[in-house]
Amino acid sequence: MTTRRELLIVLSAGALAAPLASLAQQQQKVYRVGILAPGTPASRGHLLEAFTQGLRELGYVEGKNILIERRFAEGSLDRLPALAAD
C-alpha cells in the first residue's frame, strides 16, 4: 500500500508534467483565407497562382498552415452576396 507521501509525490509529478506535455503537442495555427471573384476560375487562374506563390514565399503552405476557400460568381454579379455569405 502506498504511503501518503508517495501518493503526493506521484500527483505532484503528474501535475508538473502535464503543462510540459501540452507545450510539446501544440499545433500550428491554420489560417483561413477567402477569395471571392466575379469571374471564373479559368479567367482568374494566373492571379490565384501568383497569390498562392506569394503566400508560399512567406512560409504559408496550403493545406498545412493555411486554407484557401475560393468562390467564383461565374460572371453573375448577383451571386456575389450569397457567395460572400457562404
Side-chain angles (χ1 to χ4, degrees):
M1 188 167 174
T2 60
T3 65
R4 183 182 223 177
R5 181 179 290 175
E6 289 171 338
L7 181 60
L8 184 57
I9 290 171
V10 169
L11 290 175
S12 297
L16 291 173
L20 295 175
S22 67
L23 287 174
Q25 296 177 3
Q26 283 184 348
Q27 294 181 353
Q28 187 175 11
K29 182 171 175 124
V30 177
Y31 296 93
R32 183 179 303 254
V33 174
I35 296 175
L36 183 61
T40 64
S43 69
R44 302 290 181 200
H46 63 288
L47 296 174
L48 296 173
E49 182 53 39
F51 179 71
T52 51
Q53 178 61 35
L55 289 173
R56 271 187 244 121
E57 291 171 5
L58 293 172
Y60 296 100
V61 179
E62 190 170 1
K64 182 177 178 185
N65 56 4
I66 193 164
L67 297 174
I68 302 174
E69 295 194 24
R70 299 162 178 87
R71 302 288 185 267
F72 299 94
E74 307 278 338
S76 177
L77 299 180
D78 296 340
R79 294 183 58 203
L80 287 174
L83 291 172
D86 183 34

PDB file of all heavy atoms in Angstrom, residues 41-68:
ATOM      1  N   PRO A  41     -12.854  30.452 -62.518  1.00  0.00           N
ATOM      2  CA  PRO A  41     -11.502  30.009 -62.136  1.00  0.00           C
ATOM      3  C   PRO A  41     -10.511  30.123 -63.296  1.00  0.00           C
ATOM      4  O   PRO A  41      -9.363  30.496 -63.098  1.00  0.00           O
ATOM      5  CB  PRO A  41     -11.702  28.562 -61.718  1.00  0.00           C
ATOM      6  CG  PRO A  41     -13.136  28.460 -61.330  1.00  0.00           C
ATOM      7  CD  PRO A  41     -13.854  29.444 -62.210  1.00  0.00           C
ATOM      8  N   ALA A  42     -10.964  29.838 -64.502  1.00  0.00           N
ATOM      9  CA  ALA A  42     -10.071  29.903 -65.663  1.00  0.00           C
ATOM     10  C   ALA A  42      -9.627  31.337 -65.939  1.00  0.00           C
ATOM     11  O   ALA A  42      -8.467  31.583 -66.280  1.00  0.00           O
ATOM     12  CB  ALA A  42     -10.758  29.326 -66.892  1.00  0.00           C
ATOM     13  N   SER A  43     -10.539  32.283 -65.765  1.00  0.00           N
ATOM     14  CA  SER A  43     -10.185  33.678 -66.055  1.00  0.00           C
ATOM     15  C   SER A  43      -9.313  34.293 -64.962  1.00  0.00           C
ATOM     16  O   SER A  43      -8.649  35.298 -65.200  1.00  0.00           O
ATOM     17  CB  SER A  43     -11.453  34.519 -66.237  1.00  0.00           C
ATOM     18  OG  SER A  43     -12.139  34.663 -65.008  1.00  0.00           O
ATOM     19  N   ARG A  44      -9.313  33.704 -63.792  1.00  0.00           N
ATOM     20  CA  ARG A  44      -8.543  34.246 -62.664  1.00  0.00           C
ATOM     21  C   ARG A  44      -7.390  33.342 -62.248  1.00  0.00           C
ATOM     22  O   ARG A  44      -6.718  33.602 -61.273  1.00  0.00           O
ATOM     23  CB  ARG A  44      -9.453  34.468 -61.453  1.00  0.00           C
ATOM     24  CG  ARG A  44     -10.611  35.402 -61.703  1.00  0.00           C
ATOM     25  CD  ARG A  44     -10.139  36.806 -61.866  1.00  0.00           C
ATOM     26  NE  ARG A  44     -11.294  37.670 -62.091  1.00  0.00           N
ATOM     27  CZ  ARG A  44     -11.206  38.841 -62.638  1.00  0.00           C
ATOM     28  NH1 ARG A  44     -10.055  39.308 -63.023  1.00  0.00           N
ATOM     29  NH2 ARG A  44     -12.273  39.575 -62.812  1.00  0.00           N
ATOM     30  N   GLY A  45      -7.157  32.276 -62.992  1.00  0.00           N
ATOM     31  CA  GLY A  45      -6.152  31.281 -62.618  1.00  0.00           C
ATOM     32  C   GLY A  45      -4.764  31.843 -62.416  1.00  0.00           C
ATOM     33  O   GLY A  45      -4.084  31.512 -61.450  1.00  0.00           O
ATOM     34  N   HIS A  46      -4.330  32.716 -63.313  1.00  0.00           N
ATOM     35  CA  HIS A  46      -2.980  33.280 -63.197  1.00  0.00           C
ATOM     36  C   HIS A  46      -2.841  34.158 -61.957  1.00  0.00           C
ATOM     37  O   HIS A  46      -1.804  34.176 -61.304  1.00  0.00           O
ATOM     38  CB  HIS A  46      -2.625  34.068 -64.466  1.00  0.00           C
ATOM     39  CG  HIS A  46      -3.493  35.258 -64.722  1.00  0.00           C
ATOM     40  ND1 HIS A  46      -4.810  35.142 -65.130  1.00  0.00           N
ATOM     41  CD2 HIS A  46      -3.233  36.579 -64.596  1.00  0.00           C
ATOM     42  CE1 HIS A  46      -5.317  36.360 -65.254  1.00  0.00           C
ATOM     43  NE2 HIS A  46      -4.377  37.256 -64.936  1.00  0.00           N
ATOM     44  N   LEU A  47      -3.913  34.870 -61.607  1.00  0.00           N
ATOM     45  CA  LEU A  47      -3.872  35.708 -60.410  1.00  0.00           C
ATOM     46  C   LEU A  47      -3.855  34.856 -59.142  1.00  0.00           C
ATOM     47  O   LEU A  47      -3.141  35.159 -58.187  1.00  0.00           O
ATOM     48  CB  LEU A  47      -5.074  36.657 -60.389  1.00  0.00           C
ATOM     49  CG  LEU A  47      -5.132  37.689 -61.511  1.00  0.00           C
ATOM     50  CD1 LEU A  47      -6.441  38.453 -61.465  1.00  0.00           C
ATOM     51  CD2 LEU A  47      -3.955  38.642 -61.414  1.00  0.00           C
ATOM     52  N   LEU A  48      -4.659  33.802 -59.156  1.00  0.00           N
ATOM     53  CA  LEU A  48      -4.705  32.915 -57.992  1.00  0.00           C
ATOM     54  C   LEU A  48      -3.374  32.207 -57.786  1.00  0.00           C
ATOM     55  O   LEU A  48      -2.909  32.042 -56.647  1.00  0.00           O
ATOM     56  CB  LEU A  48      -5.837  31.896 -58.146  1.00  0.00           C
ATOM     57  CG  LEU A  48      -7.242  32.484 -58.182  1.00  0.00           C
ATOM     58  CD1 LEU A  48      -8.262  31.406 -58.501  1.00  0.00           C
ATOM     59  CD2 LEU A  48      -7.561  33.159 -56.873  1.00  0.00           C
ATOM     60  N   GLU A  49      -2.735  31.805 -58.875  1.00  0.00           N
ATOM     61  CA  GLU A  49      -1.438  31.143 -58.775  1.00  0.00           C
ATOM     62  C   GLU A  49      -0.386  32.113 -58.236  1.00  0.00           C
ATOM     63  O   GLU A  49       0.436  31.753 -57.395  1.00  0.00           O
ATOM     64  CB  GLU A  49      -1.001  30.582 -60.126  1.00  0.00           C
ATOM     65  CG  GLU A  49       0.321  29.843 -60.070  1.00  0.00           C
ATOM     66  CD  GLU A  49       0.392  28.742 -59.013  1.00  0.00           C
ATOM     67  OE1 GLU A  49      -0.612  28.038 -58.816  1.00  0.00           O
ATOM     68  OE2 GLU A  49       1.455  28.602 -58.386  1.00  0.00           O
ATOM     69  N   ALA A  50      -0.418  33.348 -58.682  1.00  0.00           N
ATOM     70  CA  ALA A  50       0.518  34.358 -58.173  1.00  0.00           C
ATOM     71  C   ALA A  50       0.285  34.608 -56.684  1.00  0.00           C
ATOM     72  O   ALA A  50       1.235  34.743 -55.904  1.00  0.00           O
ATOM     73  CB  ALA A  50       0.376  35.651 -58.964  1.00  0.00           C
ATOM     74  N   PHE A  51      -0.973  34.624 -56.290  1.00  0.00           N
ATOM     75  CA  PHE A  51      -1.313  34.832 -54.877  1.00  0.00           C
ATOM     76  C   PHE A  51      -0.796  33.676 -54.016  1.00  0.00           C
ATOM     77  O   PHE A  51      -0.147  33.910 -52.994  1.00  0.00           O
ATOM     78  CB  PHE A  51      -2.836  34.974 -54.747  1.00  0.00           C
ATOM     79  CG  PHE A  51      -3.308  35.174 -53.350  1.00  0.00           C
ATOM     80  CD1 PHE A  51      -3.065  36.368 -52.681  1.00  0.00           C
ATOM     81  CD2 PHE A  51      -4.012  34.173 -52.692  1.00  0.00           C
ATOM     82  CE1 PHE A  51      -3.514  36.556 -51.379  1.00  0.00           C
ATOM     83  CE2 PHE A  51      -4.455  34.353 -51.400  1.00  0.00           C
ATOM     84  CZ  PHE A  51      -4.216  35.550 -50.742  1.00  0.00           C
ATOM     85  N   THR A  52      -1.058  32.444 -54.433  1.00  0.00           N
ATOM     86  CA  THR A  52      -0.595  31.295 -53.648  1.00  0.00           C
ATOM     87  C   THR A  52       0.930  31.196 -53.657  1.00  0.00           C
ATOM     88  O   THR A  52       1.523  30.803 -52.659  1.00  0.00           O
ATOM     89  CB  THR A  52      -1.227  29.972 -54.121  1.00  0.00           C
ATOM     90  OG1 THR A  52      -1.069  29.847 -55.529  1.00  0.00           O
ATOM     91  CG2 THR A  52      -2.687  29.888 -53.771  1.00  0.00           C
ATOM     92  N   GLN A  53       1.568  31.576 -54.755  1.00  0.00           N
ATOM     93  CA  GLN A  53       3.034  31.584 -54.803  1.00  0.00           C
ATOM     94  C   GLN A  53       3.585  32.602 -53.807  1.00  0.00           C
ATOM     95  O   GLN A  53       4.552  32.328 -53.105  1.00  0.00           O
ATOM     96  CB  GLN A  53       3.534  31.890 -56.216  1.00  0.00           C
ATOM     97  CG  GLN A  53       5.044  31.970 -56.333  1.00  0.00           C
ATOM     98  CD  GLN A  53       5.745  30.679 -55.966  1.00  0.00           C
ATOM     99  OE1 GLN A  53       5.240  29.597 -56.216  1.00  0.00           O
ATOM    100  NE2 GLN A  53       6.907  30.796 -55.359  1.00  0.00           N
ATOM    101  N   GLY A  54       2.967  33.762 -53.741  1.00  0.00           N
ATOM    102  CA  GLY A  54       3.386  34.777 -52.778  1.00  0.00           C
ATOM    103  C   GLY A  54       3.230  34.297 -51.343  1.00  0.00           C
ATOM    104  O   GLY A  54       4.095  34.537 -50.492  1.00  0.00           O
ATOM    105  N   LEU A  55       2.134  33.589 -51.076  1.00  0.00           N
ATOM    106  CA  LEU A  55       1.942  33.023 -49.741  1.00  0.00           C
ATOM    107  C   LEU A  55       3.020  31.991 -49.426  1.00  0.00           C
ATOM    108  O   LEU A  55       3.546  31.954 -48.312  1.00  0.00           O
ATOM    109  CB  LEU A  55       0.548  32.390 -49.622  1.00  0.00           C
ATOM    110  CG  LEU A  55      -0.621  33.373 -49.583  1.00  0.00           C
ATOM    111  CD1 LEU A  55      -1.948  32.618 -49.648  1.00  0.00           C
ATOM    112  CD2 LEU A  55      -0.557  34.225 -48.331  1.00  0.00           C
ATOM    113  N   ARG A  56       3.348  31.137 -50.414  1.00  0.00           N
ATOM    114  CA  ARG A  56       4.402  30.129 -50.218  1.00  0.00           C
ATOM    115  C   ARG A  56       5.730  30.793 -49.878  1.00  0.00           C
ATOM    116  O   ARG A  56       6.467  30.327 -49.016  1.00  0.00           O
ATOM    117  CB  ARG A  56       4.559  29.262 -51.467  1.00  0.00           C
ATOM    118  CG  ARG A  56       3.661  28.052 -51.460  1.00  0.00           C
ATOM    119  CD  ARG A  56       3.967  27.136 -52.644  1.00  0.00           C
ATOM    120  NE  ARG A  56       2.769  27.121 -53.469  1.00  0.00           N
ATOM    121  CZ  ARG A  56       2.672  27.479 -54.730  1.00  0.00           C
ATOM    122  NH1 ARG A  56       3.738  27.829 -55.403  1.00  0.00           N
ATOM    123  NH2 ARG A  56       1.540  27.451 -55.360  1.00  0.00           N
ATOM    124  N   GLU A  57       6.034  31.884 -50.554  1.00  0.00           N
ATOM    125  CA  GLU A  57       7.285  32.597 -50.290  1.00  0.00           C
ATOM    126  C   GLU A  57       7.324  33.177 -48.878  1.00  0.00           C
ATOM    127  O   GLU A  57       8.394  33.363 -48.308  1.00  0.00           O
ATOM    128  CB  GLU A  57       7.482  33.705 -51.328  1.00  0.00           C
ATOM    129  CG  GLU A  57       7.763  33.179 -52.719  1.00  0.00           C
ATOM    130  CD  GLU A  57       7.755  34.249 -53.796  1.00  0.00           C
ATOM    131  OE1 GLU A  57       7.616  35.451 -53.455  1.00  0.00           O
ATOM    132  OE2 GLU A  57       7.864  33.884 -54.980  1.00  0.00           O
ATOM    133  N   LEU A  58       6.152  33.424 -48.318  1.00  0.00           N
ATOM    134  CA  LEU A  58       6.063  33.923 -46.942  1.00  0.00           C
ATOM    135  C   LEU A  58       5.995  32.794 -45.917  1.00  0.00           C
ATOM    136  O   LEU A  58       5.881  33.042 -44.718  1.00  0.00           O
ATOM    137  CB  LEU A  58       4.836  34.833 -46.805  1.00  0.00           C
ATOM    138  CG  LEU A  58       4.905  36.134 -47.585  1.00  0.00           C
ATOM    139  CD1 LEU A  58       3.563  36.853 -47.539  1.00  0.00           C
ATOM    140  CD2 LEU A  58       6.010  37.025 -47.036  1.00  0.00           C
ATOM    141  N   GLY A  59       6.013  31.540 -46.400  1.00  0.00           N
ATOM    142  CA  GLY A  59       6.011  30.401 -45.487  1.00  0.00           C
ATOM    143  C   GLY A  59       4.664  29.746 -45.271  1.00  0.00           C
ATOM    144  O   GLY A  59       4.533  28.863 -44.428  1.00  0.00           O
ATOM    145  N   TYR A  60       3.650  30.170 -46.013  1.00  0.00           N
ATOM    146  CA  TYR A  60       2.324  29.574 -45.883  1.00  0.00           C
ATOM    147  C   TYR A  60       2.145  28.491 -46.934  1.00  0.00           C
ATOM    148  O   TYR A  60       2.316  28.740 -48.122  1.00  0.00           O
ATOM    149  CB  TYR A  60       1.232  30.635 -46.036  1.00  0.00           C
ATOM    150  CG  TYR A  60       1.282  31.677 -44.939  1.00  0.00           C
ATOM    151  CD1 TYR A  60       1.857  32.918 -45.159  1.00  0.00           C
ATOM    152  CD2 TYR A  60       0.773  31.400 -43.674  1.00  0.00           C
ATOM    153  CE1 TYR A  60       1.922  33.865 -44.146  1.00  0.00           C
ATOM    154  CE2 TYR A  60       0.824  32.336 -42.667  1.00  0.00           C
ATOM    155  CZ  TYR A  60       1.408  33.565 -42.904  1.00  0.00           C
ATOM    156  OH  TYR A  60       1.470  34.494 -41.911  1.00  0.00           O
ATOM    157  N   VAL A  61       1.795  27.299 -46.475  1.00  0.00           N
ATOM    158  CA  VAL A  61       1.616  26.162 -47.379  1.00  0.00           C
ATOM    159  C   VAL A  61       0.151  25.738 -47.303  1.00  0.00           C
ATOM    160  O   VAL A  61      -0.342  25.384 -46.224  1.00  0.00           O
ATOM    161  CB  VAL A  61       2.543  24.997 -46.986  1.00  0.00           C
ATOM    162  CG1 VAL A  61       2.333  23.812 -47.899  1.00  0.00           C
ATOM    163  CG2 VAL A  61       4.000  25.449 -47.008  1.00  0.00           C
ATOM    164  N   GLU A  62      -0.506  25.777 -48.444  1.00  0.00           N
ATOM    165  CA  GLU A  62      -1.928  25.426 -48.477  1.00  0.00           C
ATOM    166  C   GLU A  62      -2.127  23.993 -48.009  1.00  0.00           C
ATOM    167  O   GLU A  62      -1.442  23.075 -48.439  1.00  0.00           O
ATOM    168  CB  GLU A  62      -2.495  25.613 -49.887  1.00  0.00           C
ATOM    169  CG  GLU A  62      -4.002  25.501 -49.932  1.00  0.00           C
ATOM    170  CD  GLU A  62      -4.607  25.912 -51.267  1.00  0.00           C
ATOM    171  OE1 GLU A  62      -3.857  26.271 -52.192  1.00  0.00           O
ATOM    172  OE2 GLU A  62      -5.842  25.866 -51.367  1.00  0.00           O
ATOM    173  N   GLY A  63      -3.065  23.829 -47.082  1.00  0.00           N
ATOM    174  CA  GLY A  63      -3.352  22.517 -46.516  1.00  0.00           C
ATOM    175  C   GLY A  63      -2.523  22.209 -45.278  1.00  0.00           C
ATOM    176  O   GLY A  63      -2.819  21.281 -44.542  1.00  0.00           O
ATOM    177  N   LYS A  64      -1.483  23.001 -45.036  1.00  0.00           N
ATOM    178  CA  LYS A  64      -0.634  22.777 -43.863  1.00  0.00           C
ATOM    179  C   LYS A  64      -0.872  23.855 -42.807  1.00  0.00           C
ATOM    180  O   LYS A  64      -1.252  23.546 -41.695  1.00  0.00           O
ATOM    181  CB  LYS A  64       0.831  22.745 -44.270  1.00  0.00           C
ATOM    182  CG  LYS A  64       1.767  22.465 -43.128  1.00  0.00           C
ATOM    183  CD  LYS A  64       3.197  22.374 -43.589  1.00  0.00           C
ATOM    184  CE  LYS A  64       4.120  22.128 -42.402  1.00  0.00           C
ATOM    185  NZ  LYS A  64       5.521  22.152 -42.793  1.00  0.00           N
ATOM    186  N   ASN A  65      -0.643  25.113 -43.166  1.00  0.00           N
ATOM    187  CA  ASN A  65      -0.856  26.189 -42.207  1.00  0.00           C
ATOM    188  C   ASN A  65      -1.777  27.289 -42.742  1.00  0.00           C
ATOM    189  O   ASN A  65      -1.942  28.323 -42.115  1.00  0.00           O
ATOM    190  CB  ASN A  65       0.474  26.785 -41.736  1.00  0.00           C
ATOM    191  CG  ASN A  65       1.340  27.292 -42.866  1.00  0.00           C
ATOM    192  OD1 ASN A  65       0.941  27.271 -44.023  1.00  0.00           O
ATOM    193  ND2 ASN A  65       2.535  27.723 -42.537  1.00  0.00           N
ATOM    194  N   ILE A  66      -2.355  27.030 -43.918  1.00  0.00           N
ATOM    195  CA  ILE A  66      -3.332  27.971 -44.471  1.00  0.00           C
ATOM    196  C   ILE A  66      -4.338  27.203 -45.331  1.00  0.00           C
ATOM    197  O   ILE A  66      -3.982  26.243 -46.011  1.00  0.00           O
ATOM    198  CB  ILE A  66      -2.633  29.089 -45.297  1.00  0.00           C
ATOM    199  CG1 ILE A  66      -3.620  30.219 -45.597  1.00  0.00           C
ATOM    200  CG2 ILE A  66      -2.036  28.552 -46.575  1.00  0.00           C
ATOM    201  CD1 ILE A  66      -2.950  31.486 -46.057  1.00  0.00           C
ATOM    202  N   LEU A  67      -5.587  27.599 -45.234  1.00  0.00           N
ATOM    203  CA  LEU A  67      -6.650  27.052 -46.083  1.00  0.00           C
ATOM    204  C   LEU A  67      -7.191  28.191 -46.937  1.00  0.00           C
ATOM    205  O   LEU A  67      -7.487  29.263 -46.415  1.00  0.00           O
ATOM    206  CB  LEU A  67      -7.781  26.474 -45.232  1.00  0.00           C
ATOM    207  CG  LEU A  67      -7.421  25.302 -44.342  1.00  0.00           C
ATOM    208  CD1 LEU A  67      -8.599  24.936 -43.455  1.00  0.00           C
ATOM    209  CD2 LEU A  67      -7.004  24.113 -45.184  1.00  0.00           C
ATOM    210  N   ILE A  68      -7.308  27.948 -48.217  1.00  0.00           N
ATOM    211  CA  ILE A  68      -7.820  28.971 -49.128  1.00  0.00           C
ATOM    212  C   ILE A  68      -9.151  28.484 -49.686  1.00  0.00           C
ATOM    213  O   ILE A  68      -9.221  27.433 -50.311  1.00  0.00           O
ATOM    214  CB  ILE A  68      -6.832  29.258 -50.277  1.00  0.00           C
ATOM    215  CG1 ILE A  68      -5.481  29.699 -49.706  1.00  0.00           C
ATOM    216  CG2 ILE A  68      -7.390  30.327 -51.209  1.00  0.00           C
ATOM    217  CD1 ILE A  68      -4.400  29.873 -50.739  1.00  0.00           C
TER     218      ILE A  68
END
